[in-house]
Each structure stands twice: as C-alpha cells, then as structure tokens.
Amino acid sequence: MAEIYQGKITITRVAGTKAASGNNTLIAAPAAGYRLVIKGWYVQNESSTATTIVMANGAGESNYRYLAQNQGDGIGRVYEAFNEWRLTAATALILNLSGANSHGYWLEYWTEAV
C-alpha cells in the first residue's frame, strides 16, 4: 500500500490477489459518516478459467460486471477529476468472483466525510 498526498486528500494505492468465490472485500467499510472515493481500479483474471468479475458498492449492489473469459482478460476504470466513483457511506468495496480463481487487482482511493 502506498499513499500520495494530493492537495487536501491522501490517495492510497492497493494491489493484490483474490481467489475466493463470492464476495471479496478489497477495501473495508469506513466508519459511519465517511465514504470511499475510488479514483481508479483494475481487475485481471490470472487463471485459465472463465470467471465473472463484479465490482460492487457493498455486498448487495453490482456496479460493474465483466466475463473474463481467458487468462489475462480484465476490466478497469480510471475516473476523471471530480467524477470519481463515490460509494455509499460506511460501505466496503467488494470484488465478487463467480469461481475460486485467482484475480489480480489494483486500485487508488481515499476516504471523505459525507
């Protein structure tokens, strides 16, 4: 994890691998009154098994869905300034995988008061 100070915010960078089927927490939910702001993210299938990737604002909401058919397939997004993905207050960023197949991820985010 790396942090970059940019004006009044500190951007945190995270990279890793998840392989559990179902919901995988990428960023834990912040305290009440705060929300995660996602600047950019990317998820890539590291296995040779087709897997559906879902990025979600908490466990119950699917925001981005992609079928990573082959090894190396992935999906991601980098948001323009002032147009970042703002999650619901006190909600985690979830990566849901349709199978127990290894997926690498990268993301940048910060936390803000609501």
Side-chain angles (χ1 to χ4, degrees):
M1 179 176 357
E3 293 185 348
I4 302 170
Y5 183 72
Q6 185 175 346
K8 294 185 179 188
I9 61 171
T10 300
I11 298 173
T12 302
R13 290 183 176 156
V14 178
T17 303
K18 296 290 184 179
S21 179
N23 289 338
N24 293 270
T25 299
L26 297 184
I27 309 170
Y34 291 89
R35 68 178 167 199
L36 298 171
V37 181
I38 312 301
K39 179 176 172 40
W41 59 272
Y42 186 78
V43 179
Q44 182 178 35
N45 189 350
E46 295 177 344
S47 76
S48 58
T49 304
T51 309
T52 300
I53 297 168
V54 176
M55 292 292 284
N57 175 11
E61 183 179 333
S62 299
N63 295 90
Y64 296 93
R65 180 183 171 91
Y66 178 76
L67 175 60
Q69 191 75 17
N70 303 296
Q71 186 174 23
D73 287 352
I75 183 174
R77 183 148 184 205
V78 175
Y79 301 92
E80 296 178 17
F82 307 106
N83 200 26
E84 297 86 0
W85 182 16
R86 285 174 163 76
L87 276 59
T88 306
T91 302
L93 177 63
I94 301 293
L95 166 63
N96 182 285
L97 300 175
S98 65
N101 308 308
S102 184
H103 284 68
Y105 66 91
W106 159 90
L107 56 99
E108 292 183 337
Y109 73 97
W110 68 88
T111 303
E112 71 179 9
V114 281

